[in-house]
Amino acid sequence: MAPIDIFVYLVFCGLVTGDYHVNNDNIFKVLEKIGTTVSRETCTSLSPDEELDIAVDFSKWEEYADLAIYNSNYLSAQIQKHGGSLETFHESLCHDLVTNLVVTAKPEILSGVVEFAPGVFKNYELFAAFAVNTNGTVESVELGNFYNYTNDSLVNEWYSVLRDRNYENVAIDRTKTTFRNGTIIEADLLVARRDDGHITKPYYDCGGGHVWMFTYSSPILGRNTDGSPKFKGVATIDIELTDKDINQCDLEYEDDTVDLFFNVFRGTHKCPIETTCHFRPGLGFKVGGYFCICNEGFYYQGLYSGFSGEEVEKATDLSSFRCEMKHHGYRSSFGSDSHDRQLGRYFPLNSDDSDLYYTNPSMK
Ligand SMILES: *[C@@H]1O[C@H](CO)[C@@H](O)[C@H](O)[C@H]1NC(C)=O
Ligand SMILES: *[C@@H]1O[C@H](CO)[C@@H](O)[C@H](O)[C@H]1NC(C)=O
Ligand SMILES: *[C@@H]1O[C@H](CO)[C@@H](O)[C@H](O)[C@H]1NC(C)=O
Ligand SMILES: *[C@@H]1O[C@H](CO)[C@@H](O)[C@H](O)[C@H]1NC(C)=O
């Protein structure tokens, strides 16, 4: 296919769309952040977390989202049955909820939190139980004592977006409990569903695990005195991106796969023009997960298995990653190369096989 045909083909197949647009300044900024800006050294525990302006495909984690929804709905029910706050709820139960979540869903889920709006939890102004899987131990700590998650100058999107949402149309489920002593309690409970939650963009967790991750959060709900829904906090799951590969190679026209990042990184490799980018799986959430392999008609002088994308990304000068053009013997349209000829690399062609190029005399 000639290049112009390929382009027409792409347009007809609908592949040349905004989603796959590669000359996106934003994506290069994102790559730069992934590559260099943020590290354990450059962010301190309470500075705003770095955020990447890309979306992730959450569909793979929807079942884990249900664990956060379970926690939020459980706490919503407690709050609604106990007059709007958790006066009698023991804080150790909150630690149990998040610990159990991580124990159940690790390693896919790195951590989880239950975080209450000011004044909801007993006599603590702020209270947040946070459990994280570190080094084989699921550890739960309280954050509200030293970390003000209601402060909007911090990037606490998982909290602030849900706090500012309107819950007028949230689902209501009727529940009925018959106790052993015969007492029956019926309650209409406000319940969160998957769509009531929020998925953050990937961000660098400066305060905690020092990893790239994203968060799904589900609202904890109570009622105002008139019965209308009132935000009471959030329950979350955190998913680590460290082992999720970034594919920077070009999106081929016959390739209709969509990766975790909706293909936004496609076409952002830095392979020289006479090479082709080959995706190298397994590098994780890092820039440079590819090899640049010489195109047909080009060769690399020396031991060669493709240039490492990691090296290419680091380089300011790409001249050491060059492939050389193969010459088509004396008939080459590019002319003959006396240097190569002196090295004995060229073999005159006879008229029968003038289209063949011999790199090795034994082939003849
Ligand atoms: C993780 O566990 C290993 C083995 O138990 C230990 O050597 C290492 O110091 C631990 N690392 C951290 C950060 O706790
Ligand atoms: C909010 O966070 C910023 C940045 O850490 C801090 O400077 C500010 O004092 C905080 N505001 C309150 C009211 O805690
Ligand atoms: C947390 O920050 C908010 C908003 O910046 C502020 O109004 C509130 O007083 C702070 N809470 C605590 C306990 O410091
Ligand atoms: C029956 O049991 C429930 C749950 O323990 C309790 O709230 C309620 O007060 C009890 N009712 C009577 C009449 O003892």
Side-chain angles (χ1 to χ4, degrees), residues 271-276 292-301 304-307 318-327:
C271 287
I273 189 87
E274 72 277 6
T275 67
T276 300
C292 306
I293 313 266
C294 294
N295 289 340
E296 226 173 286
F298 291 84
Y299 71 102
Y300 182 72
Q301 208 172 340
Y304 167 79
S305 58
F307 307 117
L318 292 182
S319 62
S320 56
F321 305 107
R322 296 237 84 93
C323 299
E324 287 171 41
M325 194 174 287
K326 284 179 180 173
H327 295 269

Side-chain angles (χ1 to χ4, degrees), residues 24-79:
N24 187 336
D25 284 350
N26 172 49
I27 288 310
F28 288 99
K29 274 188 207 129
V30 167
L31 285 167
E32 202 177 306
K33 276 193 182 180
I34 295 168
T36 56
T37 315
V38 190
S39 71
R40 190 181 283 265
E41 289 70 36
T42 58
C43 74
T44 56
S45 62
L46 293 180
S47 75
D49 294 355
E50 287 283 343
E51 198 184 54
L52 300 183
D53 197 8
I54 52 166
V56 290
D57 181 356
F58 188 65
S59 55
K60 281 186 185 143
W61 286 285
E62 278 182 347
E63 57 180 303
Y64 297 110
D66 290 346
L67 296 172
I69 297 168
Y70 176 90
N71 278 350
S72 69
N73 283 339
Y74 176 71
L75 291 164
S76 295
Q78 290 296 322
I79 289 168

Side-chain angles (χ1 to χ4, degrees), residues 24 27 50 101 111 146 149 151 164 180 209 214 251 298 309 322 340 351 358:
N24 187 336
I27 288 310
E50 287 283 343
L101 182 152
S111 49
F146 57 89
Y149 48 82
N151 183 340
D164 300 339
R180 181 170 170 149
F214 67 100
L251 192 65
F298 291 84
R322 296 237 84 93
D340 280 351
S351 55
Y358 297 105

Side-chain angles (χ1 to χ4, degrees), residues 189-203:
L189 299 177
L190 302 166
V191 289
R193 305 270 189 242
R194 278 183 189 172
D195 288 347
D196 296 311
H198 175 72
I199 305 157
T200 69
K201 289 171 178 167
Y203 61 96

